[in-house]
Every structure is written in structure tokens, then in C-alpha cells.
Amino acid sequence: MKQSQLFTKTLRSIDKEEKSISTQFLLKSSFIYKELAGAYVYLPLGLRVLNKINDIIREEMNAIGGQELFLTSLQNPELWKKTDRWGDESVDNWFRTKLKNNTELGLSFTHEEPLTNLMKNYISSYKDLPKFAYQIQTKFRNELRAKGGIMRCREFLMKDMYSFCRDQKEHEIFYEKSKQAYINVFERCGLGDITYLTFASGGVFSKYSHEFQTLAKNGEDTIYVDKKRKLAVNKEVYNDEVLNNLNLDKKDLIEERAVEVGNIFTLGYKFSTALDLQFTNENGVKQNVFMGSYGIGPGRVMGTIAEIYNDKNGLMWPKNVSPFNVHLLDFRTNKDDKFYNILQKNNIEVLYDDRNENPGVKLKDADLIGIYYRFILSDKLGDKIELKKRTDKTNQILSQKESLDLLKKEFFK
Amino acid sequence: MKQSQLFTKTLRSIDKEEKSISTQFLLKSSFIYKELAGAYVYLPLGLRVLNKINDIIREEMNAIGGQELFLTSLQNPELWKKTDRWGDESVDNWFRTKLKNNTELGLSFTHEEPLTNLMKNYISSYKDLPKFAYQIQTKFRNELRAKGGIMRCREFLMKDMYSFCRDQKEHEIFYEKSKQAYINVFERCGLGDITYLTFASGGVFSKYSHEFQTLAKNGEDTIYVDKKRKLAVNKEVYNDEVLNNLNLDKKDLIEERAVEVGNIFTLGYKFSTALDLQFTNENGVKQNVFMGSYGIGPGRVMGTIAEIYNDKNGLMWPKNVSPFNVHLLDFRTNKDDKFYNILQKNNIEVLYDDRNENPGVKLKDADLIGIYYRFILSDKLGDKIELKKRTDKTNQILSQKESLDLLKKEFFK
């Protein structure tokens, strides 16, 4: 894409209320736009990052047998009354609305109820199990206060997967697979090294749930990390009994601030009992389905990446989630599209800064936007390219062919 | 994908209220699921069709310079009061909701207001124009009655593009390009032959708007079609003056029922005036931006395709929007994945019916689901494949290699 055509620009002034540096960078570089407190527009550059995160999540969920669907936001209260999650006393963050005939509806903040109910069409025998369904869809949560940019919103995308198994044993096999799938997602998004599988409070059917917590000094959560074993314990369950259970030693644990980028949860029979999702087992006996839920917020992952990967000049996107592979800055007096076209023909994603701006402006914008590779064309370089990664301190100068080979190696190995 | 793993099945009984055959087929084959009147879940097969339609739309919008973004559903009334579109007397289909502090919000039924307002960040000079932005996002419309399956919903996906130009002349160049892009979309979706560019009522800034109307006997609209000139006139503007204007002759026009699958509209200065979106022209004078809007409902397109392409046994998806390229039915006593794996390795999208069901069940399901190609493996065929298109009456029998070559030719020409 040619930057002269891009409808957004980098901005000089932004909303002073946004305190976090990463949110300021996301706003200044026009990845996002604040529509109202807790609701953000994804502008073209931001949507490219979000879609890359979504695609990574899809690949990993599909790899463990997940099947994608797309549920509705509008919800009929009847279903939620059966699980006692309609009233304000049990759920305090519904957005409610009404049909013209005054029928009350809700905007879904999660989707256990409608999916469990839908599954009654498809699950009747043990032969129908296990099954795994997920979606990437908008959630609405009527938070009292919205803060932290795209980290905690009133309207946001969520990948939520739900598992339906014959029993706890079958569930646990999938639950373990899902842990690895989640680890893969964060690894591919550039957060692998600093994201910890974290024990958190469970429910009736499981002593613990598991969170994926990414270390970040502005994180909302406090966790205790065993870096050697690559495990952590959320403050909410940090006590001697739990440490004993998990065979963790206080001496090995460091207190850290972190962002919850994902969680997985054993639901057990809670929803299948309330909504009557049953199957007939091998012996002809009816049983409730054993369920689990698995969430990741792609927008929060994007916000976390921005929070981790930045310097004083702007964002620094990891390779797999960078909005483009290359930011090609053209400083030449007589610009032409030749090298841009070569890159495009080779399926390299390029943002081509063909604007009539001086090099200083282009360099500053490139640092703010933070695309993985920066390539420079200039009169003094002739046919050569000056290139560096956003995270590098030093440049190298290569021929067009050499630089293309390097990109091919990096992006299509 | 293996059909034994797919979490949905074809259903024998469905909601009796759905009167249209195509909606019945979509429900029975588990492409969609009715959550509540006017809100449908897209199940895995349906989501595949919807995504193919979305991708075709994206390609055509990108080709004419469209840039994708993702706006919010939650809307602040203040913006809509400026254009007089908040009150019930001007807009009768808002879904309204409230924050915890009782602030009223709306759920967007369209997005002119927020996008026009957002563009004030990026448009200040004639050099910033023209610009074209679009999204594929959920719309909420509080219809008094919801009917017609996914054809008219309270919650539905919409591709809405908005153009921002210096003046009417620049606008008209893009407007003409958008017509062709829309024609391309419907052509690629299999609706080209029966979709007519249709003159409909305009506004202050243009005598007409344009609809894209697909002939369908259950369509909501009445249009008058000139089949030779491939044009139509909506009943709402069908009068002697208009026919004269358009140089159409009553004798050449046939009355038809049709579904509006898209529309394009000259907005002029309406929103830029109300929301103060201005630019400085070449002479240093401030001017309002000249706007247009361009809508397609991907769900409605899917519903229209289903309405057009079916027979008494089920759906018949056109090639480009079929949920899979091939439905591979395995009738063999000893099933193996070999040919399925060969197809997958060649990037052919296959639904592999590996279930332990008899051939009659598999054939019936295949007809109902309506995938473009049906391939059969059976003991009596040996290594050969029996294949036919869903729309064909007769089979052919080919070797594995021949059938693979045929697919490659068809899907990767």
C-alpha cells in the first residue's frame, strides 16, 4: 500500500486522558481511535495487526480440532435465567436493550448459554463427543469504568472456545492440548518468553483455572512467578496450601505485575445441567456433557504487545503481527514504484512511503508506526537499499536482490 | 474437514415458522441457526460461505481504493443529534442501551456519523482527497417485525463503504467505479445474470440512488426491468417523467419481484455540513467534503444465493461461494484417508464424508448441503472416482489423477 493513499496519518496531539505510553503510541500512529470510553475503532493499520493475531489464533484453535462459528450479540433473557445469569445481583455488566414491543434483550458478554443450548441439536449420543467450537466475536460488557485503552473495553473482540466432552477424563485431554495451543499463540505473537501459565481460582469441578499472564509493569494483576519452571500463581490463590499442592517453593517465586491475555476454565456440568445438554452413553444411560471454556481477547493481546514492544520513539511490532513486513521509505528526488512493485510481486507486504515529505518526517513516522523492517531508498545509495529492523541499532546496505532474498528467507522459510 | 468431526449435522425437523424454502434448507443443512427472530447464528458451513462472500467483497473494494477499518457498535448520541438522527421521530429502529451511570448509548444501524467525525483527524487539505473507507461489521436495526430468515434481520453483517471527495465531479468518477465493483461482486457470487442496476429515489444531491436488485419471486421489492439494456427502475420512481429521463420505453419493461442486494447513494454535503468536515481547496478556501455511501449485506447475499440456487433436494452453491470445493463421499467398506489427503495437499477444500452411514443418507445430505462438486469413492469403482457437479444430472467416472487435474483447472486457473 502507498502511504500517500492511506487515509490515516500519524497525529501530533491526542486525548490527554490516555496515560499509558503504549495507548498513546497506538493513538498517535492511528492504529486505533477512541469512539467513547471503552470502545475503540480499529483503523487500517490496527486492523491489520488485529487480523494477524486473529489468524494466528484460528490456526492454533483449528489445529486442536476447534470449529469456528459466529454467534449473535442479541440474547434472549429466558436462556440466561435458567443459569441464573440474567439478574443484576448475579451479573453486573449486562448491556440491556429492548425490542419495539418492549421485550427485553441483552448484549452478550459471553456465550456459554446460547452455545450450550444450540448444541442440543447436535449432541445426543456418546458418538457425538467430544466437540470443540469457537468464535471470534464482539463482546459487550457494561464496565463501571473503562480504562487502559484497548486493554479493558466495554465493546471488544473475543475468541471464545467451548469444549463438550463425555466426562472429566476426556475433558482433561483436551484441556492439556488447549494449554499448548495457547502457549503457541503467545509464542507466535512475540509474547512467549514473558507469558506464564498461571494458576488461578477454579470452580466446583476443578481446583484451579489457568490464566496466561504476560509480565508488564502496568498490568492489572499481581502474580508470583517461578521462572525456572515457567509457572506462576495468581495472588488470589497465593497461599501455603496452594504452593504445597503445586509443589512450589516461596523462595523461587518473584512477585510481578502482569496482564491476563488468556484463560482456560473447567466448567464441568454447570451449564449442561442448567440447560439440559445430555447424551446417551455406551450403556444407554443419559449423562450430562462435561464442558470447558477457553478465552483470548485479540485486542488485549494487541495492546499487550504494544505495551511490551516500544521505545521512546514508538512501537516495535514483532514479525508475525507487524501490520506490514516492510516500511519502504523513499527519499529520492525522482521516485518510482519499481522496487515497491518487485516486493509486492514477491508477496512481501509493503507500506511504501511515497509521500512528498522530508526524510526526517518519514523516519519519525516509521519509528512511531513500528513496522518490523525499515528499507530506505535514496539518491546517494543508488540501486542499493539501506535496511534495518525496527529493533536494531545499526543499518546494513544490500543490493535489491540481496534484500529481497533476506525477506524471502525471513517471511517464507 | 472430516464430516465425522463436524459438530453440526443435517436436521430433520426445523422451526415451522420459516416459510421460505431456502431458509428451510439453510436451517436443515445447519448453515444457520435462529437465535431469536431476526438474529441468526452462522454455523461452520454457513460461516465458510459468509467468509467467501466477505472476501470477494474485500477484493473488489480494495481494487477501487477502499481501505478497511472496523468501527464500533456502541454510539454516543451527541454525534447523531447533530445530524438529527437520534430521535424516534427521525429514526425508528435504534436499539438503545445505557451505561451504568445512566448515559444513553445507541447500537449503530449505519456509520455515516462516526466515520465523518473520525475523518476530521485526517482531512484538512485538498491533497488529502479523495479517500475511501469501508468495513464489514455488525449492524443493529430494531425492526418491528423480522422475517425472511437472514434476508432482513435485527442483527446482521454489513459492508458499508463511504467516499470522501473534493466535489461532485470527483465523486462521480468513484461512484461509476463502485458500480462496476458491485457488478463484479454479484457476478463472482453467481448472481450476475439476474442482478440489475436499478434506479431508485435519490436525495438532495442526486436525482437517483442506485440499487442492485436480484430477481427472486419472493423478493420484497417490485422493479421494472429492461433486460436488453440490463437496467431496472424501482417501483418507487416508476413514472413517465423518470422513464423519459432515463430514455426507457414502457414496452421494454417487465415487472419483476426482486431482492435488494446492494445500494449506492450520493450523500453530498449532508453529513460534512452537519459534522463540519471541511478541507482547504487549491485556492485556500474552506469547502465541505462531498460524500457517498455504498452498502452490501453479505448475509442477505448468502440468503439470496440460497433462494436462487436450490432444487427440491436442497441447496446448490455456485463455485466461488460453495463452503467447500468438493464433498467427498466414501461408500467403501474399508475407508482410508489417502485420496482425501491428496486433495488437501493440493489445496482443494474438501468435506470428507467418512461417517459410518449408508450411501442413501450420504447422498441425501450431500444434496441438501449443496457443495459444488460431489465425488464418490466406492468398492465397485476401485481406484476410480464418480463425480458430478451439484447442478449436473449425470455423473462421470475418472481416475484420481484426472479428477484432480479437473479440480486444479476449475479452482486455480
Side-chain angles (χ1 to χ4, degrees):
Chain A
M1 161 166 277
K2 290 185 179 181
Q3 204 164 337
S4 61
Q5 306 294 311
L6 185 68
F7 79 73
T8 63
K9 302 175 185 179
T10 58
L11 301 175
R12 276 176 214 170
S13 69
I14 52 155
D15 188 346
K16 293 290 189 303
E17 277 175 37
E18 300 283 359
K19 277 166 202 149
S20 104
I21 292 287
S22 63
T23 304
Q24 287 178 18
F25 282 146
L26 288 170
L27 289 165
K28 271 191 191 169
S29 56
S30 288
F31 280 71
I32 58 171
Y33 169 85
K34 186 179 183 173
E35 188 64 39
L36 43 88
Y40 286 82
V41 170
Y42 285 83
L43 294 164
L45 293 177
L47 187 57
R48 290 182 72 99
V49 175
L50 191 69
N51 282 339
K52 289 193 175 189
I53 295 168
N54 287 343
D55 285 344
I56 288 170
I57 292 172
R58 281 195 179 97
E59 284 179 25
E60 295 296 338
M61 297 306 114
N62 293 346
I64 56 172
Q67 291 169 38
E68 190 173 358
L69 82 166
F70 194 77
L71 294 156
T72 66
S73 289
L74 294 175
Q75 293 292 319
N76 187 333
E78 295 315 313
L79 217 49
W80 300 77
K81 285 175 186 165
K82 291 185 186 171
T83 57
D84 193 27
R85 294 214 288 181
W86 179 248
D88 282 334
E89 59 293 348
S90 56
V91 174
D92 64 357
N93 63 0
W94 274 108
F95 275 106
R96 296 168 201 279
T97 187
K98 278 181 180 173
L99 290 177
K100 288 280 163 191
N101 65 9
N102 256 344
T103 305
E104 210 177 15
L105 298 178
L107 294 170
S108 53
F109 65 96
T110 182
H111 279 93
E112 281 84 1
E113 280 82 348
L115 187 60
T116 305
N117 188 55
L118 184 159
M119 280 294 180
K120 287 155 74 175
N121 274 329
Y122 305 117
I123 294 174
S124 59
S125 152
Y126 67 94
K127 291 175 193 162
D128 301 324
L129 296 170
K131 286 285 167 358
F132 318 106
Y134 75 96
Q135 61 171 349
I136 298 179
Q137 206 251 18
T138 300
K139 301 280 183 259
F140 295 90
R141 293 189 183 170
N142 203 343
E143 307 278 356
L144 196 59
R145 280 180 199 82
K147 53 173 183 170
I150 52 175
M151 303 291 258
R152 181 171 292 279
C153 287
R154 292 181 166 125
E155 172 183 350
F156 58 98
L157 271 196
M158 179 137 125
K159 186 285 296 179
D160 42 334
M161 178 152 69
Y162 304 91
S163 63
F164 301 86
C165 291
R166 297 177 198 187
D167 50 31
Q168 181 140 16
K169 199 176 141 199
E170 189 171 76
H171 166 78
E172 275 167 9
I173 295 167
F174 182 75
Y175 193 84
E176 289 307 310
K177 274 192 201 171
S178 79
K179 278 184 193 167
Q180 188 56 51
Y182 269 53
I183 289 168
N184 296 349
V185 167
F186 300 120
E187 179 69 39
R188 291 175 65 183
C189 288
L191 299 176
D193 290 347
I194 49 169
T195 299
Y196 288 85
L197 179 70
T198 303
F199 290 82
S201 55
V204 175
F205 297 97
S206 173
K207 205 158 191 168
Y208 305 106
S209 68
H210 293 87
E211 297 168 345
F212 293 81
Q213 293 272 7
T214 304
L215 304 187
K217 60 181 189 302
N218 296 319
E220 281 188 344
D221 289 11
T222 301
I223 62 171
Y224 295 86
V225 180
D226 183 329
K227 298 209 172 175
K228 252 183 291 175
R229 285 181 56 197
K230 197 105 217 249
L231 285 178
V233 178
N234 193 306
K235 193 176 184 177
E236 65 185 17
V237 295
Y238 182 72
N239 61 48
D240 289 341
E241 193 200 327
V242 167
L243 295 187
N244 237 341
N245 268 338
L246 301 176
N247 204 14
L248 289 167
D249 190 332
K250 260 191 187 165
K251 283 184 308 188
D252 303 327
L253 297 174
I254 307 166
E255 185 179 302
E256 297 269 15
R257 303 292 285 175
V259 178
E260 185 189 342
V261 286
N263 64 56
I264 60 177
F265 204 93
T266 296
L267 300 171
Y269 301 116
K270 182 177 169 187
F271 294 93
S272 59
T273 304
L275 294 162
D276 204 24
L277 177 63
Q278 296 190 316
F279 70 99
T280 307
N281 72 13
E282 289 91 331
N283 306 316
V285 178
K286 286 217 167 181
Q287 267 181 248
N288 286 321
V289 172
F290 197 97
M291 289 172 55
S293 73
Y294 312 81
I296 299 181
R300 186 182 285 190
V301 171
M302 177 170 154
T304 305
I305 296 168
E307 181 72 24
I308 303 295
Y309 291 100
N310 67 63
D311 65 11
K312 68 183 196 311
N313 300 317
L315 299 161
M316 306 164 101
W317 297 104
K319 185 167 73 173
N320 295 334
V321 298
S322 179
F324 291 88
N325 305 142
V326 174
H327 202 164
L328 177 65
L329 315 188
D330 197 340
F331 296 167
R332 296 173 302 180
T333 319
N334 299 310
K335 298 177 179 49
D336 67 63
D337 294 357
K338 276 185 206 158
F339 189 57
Y340 170 61
N341 289 336
I342 290 171
L343 292 177
Q344 290 220 303
K345 261 180 215 144
N346 283 278
N347 294 314
I348 303 293
E349 300 170 13
V350 198
L351 181 64
Y352 174 36
D353 193 347
D354 60 333
R355 297 174 301 166
N356 288 318
E357 296 282 1
N358 68 52
V361 170
K362 294 189 178 191
L363 289 167
K364 211 176 154 195
D365 277 358
D367 275 352
L368 180 57
I369 292 170
I371 290 168
Y372 187 67
Y373 263 116
R374 187 188 77 191
F375 278 31
I376 292 174
L377 298 169
S378 77
D379 290 328
K380 70 168 191 240
L381 286 164
D383 282 341
K384 302 242 173 183
I385 316 285
E386 179 192 304
L387 60 96
K388 80 173 198 69
K389 289 185 188 164
R390 173 67 178 83
T391 48
D392 284 346
K393 298 275 179 236
T394 54
N395 307 321
Q396 48 181 323
I397 292 173
L398 295 179
S399 73
Q400 291 191 2
K401 191 187 170 312
E402 286 164 340
S403 59
L404 184 61
D405 288 345
L406 181 124
L407 289 175
K408 283 187 189 166
K409 213 172 117 189
E410 181 106 54
F411 292 101
F412 312 107
K413 52 187 169 203
Chain B
M1 162 168 276
K2 292 187 178 180
Q3 206 165 335
S4 62
Q5 307 294 311
L6 187 66
F7 79 74
T8 63
K9 301 175 186 179
T10 58
L11 300 175
R12 277 176 214 171
S13 68
I14 52 156
D15 188 346
K16 293 289 187 301
E17 277 176 38
E18 299 283 0
K19 278 165 203 150
S20 104
I21 293 287
S22 63
T23 305
Q24 288 178 18
F25 283 146
L26 288 170
L27 289 165
K28 270 191 191 166
S29 56
S30 288
F31 280 70
I32 58 171
Y33 168 86
K34 186 179 181 171
E35 189 64 38
L36 43 88
Y40 287 81
V41 170
Y42 285 82
L43 294 163
L45 293 177
L47 187 57
R48 290 182 73 97
V49 175
L50 191 69
N51 283 338
K52 288 193 177 191
I53 295 168
N54 287 342
D55 285 344
I56 288 170
I57 293 172
R58 279 194 181 98
E59 283 179 25
E60 295 295 337
M61 297 306 114
N62 292 346
I64 56 170
Q67 291 169 37
E68 191 174 357
L69 82 167
F70 195 77
L71 294 156
T72 66
S73 289
L74 294 175
Q75 292 293 319
N76 187 332
E78 296 314 313
L79 218 46
W80 300 77
K81 285 176 186 165
K82 291 185 187 172
T83 57
D84 193 27
R85 294 214 288 182
W86 177 248
D88 283 332
E89 60 294 345
S90 55
V91 174
D92 64 357
N93 64 1
W94 273 110
F95 276 106
R96 297 168 200 280
T97 187
K98 277 180 182 175
L99 290 177
K100 288 280 161 192
N101 65 10
N102 256 345
T103 304
E104 212 177 14
L105 298 178
L107 294 170
S108 52
F109 65 97
T110 182
H111 280 92
E112 282 84 1
E113 280 81 348
L115 187 59
T116 304
N117 188 54
L118 184 158
M119 279 295 178
K120 287 155 75 174
N121 274 328
Y122 305 117
I123 294 173
S124 60
S125 152
Y126 67 95
K127 292 176 192 160
D128 300 324
L129 296 170
K131 286 287 168 1
F132 319 107
Y134 76 95
Q135 60 170 350
I136 299 180
Q137 205 251 19
T138 300
K139 301 281 184 257
F140 294 90
R141 292 188 184 172
N142 204 342
E143 307 279 356
L144 197 59
R145 280 177 199 83
K147 53 175 184 169
I150 52 175
M151 304 291 259
R152 182 169 292 280
C153 287
R154 291 181 167 125
E155 173 182 350
F156 58 98
L157 271 195
M158 179 137 127
K159 185 286 295 177
D160 42 334
M161 178 151 69
Y162 304 91
S163 62
F164 301 85
C165 291
R166 297 177 200 187
D167 50 32
Q168 182 140 14
K169 199 177 139 197
E170 189 172 78
H171 166 77
E172 276 166 9
I173 294 167
F174 183 75
Y175 193 83
E176 289 307 311
K177 274 192 201 171
S178 80
K179 280 184 192 166
Q180 189 55 51
Y182 270 53
I183 289 168
N184 296 348
V185 167
F186 300 120
E187 179 69 39
R188 291 174 67 182
C189 288
L191 299 175
D193 291 347
I194 49 169
T195 299
Y196 288 84
L197 180 70
T198 303
F199 289 81
S201 56
V204 175
F205 297 97
S206 172
K207 205 156 189 169
Y208 306 106
S209 69
H210 293 88
E211 296 169 347
F212 293 82
Q213 293 273 5
T214 304
L215 304 187
K217 59 181 190 301
N218 297 319
E220 281 187 347
D221 288 10
T222 301
I223 62 170
Y224 295 86
V225 182
D226 184 330
K227 297 210 173 175
K228 253 182 289 175
R229 287 180 56 195
K230 197 106 217 256
L231 285 179
V233 179
N234 193 306
K235 193 177 184 176
E236 67 184 15
V237 295
Y238 182 70
N239 60 50
D240 289 340
E241 192 201 326
V242 167
L243 295 186
N244 237 341
N245 268 339
L246 301 175
N247 203 14
L248 289 166
D249 190 333
K250 258 190 186 166
K251 284 185 308 190
D252 303 328
L253 297 174
I254 307 166
E255 186 180 300
E256 298 268 17
R257 304 290 286 173
V259 178
E260 185 189 341
V261 287
N263 64 54
I264 60 177
F265 204 93
T266 297
L267 300 171
Y269 302 117
K270 182 178 168 186
F271 294 93
S272 58
T273 304
L275 294 163
D276 204 25
L277 177 63
Q278 297 190 315
F279 69 99
T280 306
N281 72 14
E282 289 89 333
N283 306 316
V285 180
K286 287 216 166 179
Q287 268 181 247
N288 285 322
V289 172
F290 197 98
M291 289 174 54
S293 74
Y294 311 80
I296 298 181
R300 186 183 284 191
V301 170
M302 178 171 155
T304 305
I305 297 167
E307 181 73 21
I308 304 295
Y309 291 100
N310 66 66
D311 64 11
K312 66 183 199 310
N313 299 318
L315 300 162
M316 307 165 100
W317 296 104
K319 185 167 73 172
N320 294 335
V321 298
S322 178
F324 291 88
N325 306 143
V326 173
H327 202 164
L328 177 64
L329 314 188
D330 197 340
F331 296 168
R332 295 172 303 179
T333 320
N334 298 311
K335 298 178 178 48
D336 66 62
D337 294 355
K338 274 185 207 156
F339 188 57
Y340 169 61
N341 289 336
I342 290 171
L343 292 177
Q344 291 220 302
K345 260 179 215 144
N346 283 279
N347 295 313
I348 304 292
E349 300 170 13
V350 199
L351 181 63
Y352 174 38
D353 192 347
D354 60 331
R355 296 174 302 164
N356 288 318
E357 297 283 1
N358 68 52
V361 169
K362 294 190 179 191
L363 289 167
K364 211 175 154 194
D365 277 358
D367 275 351
L368 180 57
I369 292 170
I371 289 168
Y372 186 68
Y373 263 116
R374 187 188 76 191
F375 279 32
I376 292 174
L377 298 168
S378 77
D379 290 330
K380 71 168 189 240
L381 285 164
D383 280 343
K384 302 245 173 182
I385 316 285
E386 180 193 305
L387 59 98
K388 81 172 197 71
K389 289 184 187 164
R390 174 67 178 84
T391 50
D392 285 347
K393 298 277 179 233
T394 54
N395 307 320
Q396 49 180 322
I397 292 174
L398 294 179
S399 72
Q400 291 191 2
K401 190 186 170 312
E402 286 163 342
S403 59
L404 184 60
D405 287 345
L406 181 123
L407 290 174
K408 283 187 189 167
K409 214 173 115 189
E410 182 106 55
F411 292 101
F412 311 107
K413 50 190 169 201

